[in-house]
Amino acid sequence: MYTDQTGEAVLTALAAMPPRQRRKAARRLIYKKSTRPEDLTEQLIVLDALETDSALTSFDHFYALIAGSHKVIEQVDVAVAKARSERMWSIWPKVREMPVGYGLRKDRTHLVFSYLNVAMNLDLLAGGVRAKDWAEAAIAEVDGLNPRQMTPYLFNSNSNTIKVLGIAVLSCRDELERMYDLSLRLVSYGIEVNNPIFWWVFSRFQSPKQFKDVKIRAAFESHRNTMRRVFAMEQACQATTPEAKQLALELVADRCIAQVNPAQKTALIEVVKKELLS
């Protein structure tokens, strides 16, 4: 929709819209990457402005910050990452105070682990200054999860949750086995509560007649990657020598850090090996 425009042009267009239309358009820009300007710098102009847009909710503001931070990591902009990382740490208490709600973009668990995921990667790009702090914060959040407050969106959230735990155990290695066990339980419970309540409606009116007509969803590939991360943690738990443990933890890092592009992954892995696994 705005792919060929500058950030300022997008913001000008939003400002001219009635509140309801502006809210709808702004949310598309936050949650649908395909609607944003192609240039990452122009995307950042838009997302940074949406962090404080009065037409949006606090959840939207945080997700705009998350989306913008992802762009900073993709650009491998270390200088910006350092300043932004400290800002994310200062805002973290406000994120933790968000209420439990129903709906993917109103789900506290999904927000918290989306935030932790980008914050931990941003910190790594900045040199891993707060790696231990973020690791302890992530583990505390997992320990505080209440199964009775989980919604079907736990299945979606677990993609980030397992990434976060994988990065956390690089700094808190004494928690490796316990976090691996919790990861198994989180993934299992996410599948359990993901079952639709009105499954009979789906089976009667929406399911294909033959398995060859079943479409393999993007969510399934995401789940496969989640399990690859869990298996990497399992290998680290089972390692019997320091050398094997080191290699297994490197695999955990390889599976869990941000890797939209090769430059991003290379930069993050270098910090992990130098600061967390040396």
Side-chain angles (χ1 to χ4, degrees):
M1 184 177 182
Y2 299 106
T3 54
D4 60 347
Q5 297 188 26
T6 66
E8 291 300 331
V10 174
L11 295 175
T12 298
L14 289 176
M17 295 177 185
R20 183 176 295 182
Q21 183 184 357
R22 187 173 103 214
R23 184 181 303 114
K24 186 176 180 179
R27 284 176 172 163
R28 279 201 302 270
L29 286 161
I30 293 171
Y31 301 118
K32 292 186 181 296
K33 291 184 284 186
S34 61
T35 65
R36 301 176 199 152
E38 291 183 1
D39 184 83
L40 294 184
T41 301
E42 300 302 327
Q43 286 192 40
L44 264 173
I45 291 171
V46 175
L47 293 167
D48 286 350
L50 294 181
E51 282 184 43
T52 55
D53 193 302
S54 60
L56 300 173
T57 68
S58 294
F59 274 97
D60 297 325
H61 292 159
F62 287 132
Y63 277 114
L65 172 60
I66 289 167
S69 298
H70 276 298
K71 300 306 117 183
V72 171
I73 303 170
E74 286 177 41
Q75 290 178 311
V76 197
D77 193 327
V78 177
V80 174
K82 288 180 178 178
R84 200 177 187 96
S85 183
E86 282 305 304
R87 184 156 69 93
M88 291 198 79
W89 179 254
S90 69
I91 294 172
W92 170 236
K94 296 180 181 179
V95 176
R96 296 190 69 236
E97 292 172 357
M98 293 300 287
V100 175
Y102 188 83
L104 185 61
R105 302 307 177 189
K106 298 178 182 178
D107 186 294
R108 180 191 180 277
T109 301
H110 193 76
L111 171 66
V112 162
F113 287 99
S114 295
Y115 193 93
L116 282 168
N117 177 48
V118 74
M120 294 171 85
N121 279 284
L122 197 66
D123 175 69
L124 287 176
L125 184 59
V129 178
R130 291 193 178 275
K132 188 70 179 292
D133 293 333
W134 281 117
E136 291 174 349
I139 290 169
E141 281 301 317
V142 171
D143 283 337
L145 290 177
N146 182 347
R148 294 187 176 183
Q149 291 181 334
M150 296 301 99
T151 73
Y153 298 105
L154 179 62
F155 179 85
N156 307 75
S157 303
N158 274 335
S159 175
N160 281 328
T161 304
I162 303 306
K163 290 178 195 174
V164 162
L165 290 183
I167 297 172
V169 298
L170 302 177
S171 296
C172 299
R173 297 187 208 179
D174 57 332
E175 292 280 17
L176 173 61
E177 291 189 12
R178 193 169 73 87
M179 289 303 105
Y180 164 65
D181 179 72
L182 274 177
S183 294
L184 290 176
R185 297 175 192 278
L186 277 165
V187 173
S188 178
Y189 195 63
I191 294 170
E192 185 175 347
V193 299
N194 187 244
N195 293 325
I197 297 173
F198 300 110
W199 64 268
W200 62 272
V201 175
F202 176 85
S203 65
R204 183 170 299 181
F205 299 108
Q206 293 180 276
S207 63
K209 293 180 179 180
Q210 303 177 73
F211 269 101
K212 68 181 182 66
D213 298 321
V214 171
K215 294 181 179 179
I216 299 178
R217 300 168 55 197
F220 175 70
E221 185 58 32
S222 177
H223 179 69
R224 289 180 69 191
N225 287 331
T226 294
M227 292 310 302
R228 290 184 181 108
R229 297 176 188 113
V230 174
F231 292 148
M233 292 174 67
E234 181 180 46
Q235 286 181 250
C237 289
Q238 294 175 346
T240 57
T241 67
E243 294 79 11
K245 176 79 76 175
Q246 180 80 3
L247 288 173
L249 288 172
E250 287 180 11
L251 180 60
V252 171
D254 183 82
R255 293 279 191 267
C256 295
I257 62 165
Q259 44 199 287
V260 170
N261 61 64
Q264 177 190 57
K265 183 174 182 178
T266 298
L268 296 177
I269 284 291
E270 285 180 0
V271 175
V272 167
K273 290 182 176 180
K274 180 181 178 181
E275 302 296 337
L276 306 187
L277 297 180
S278 60

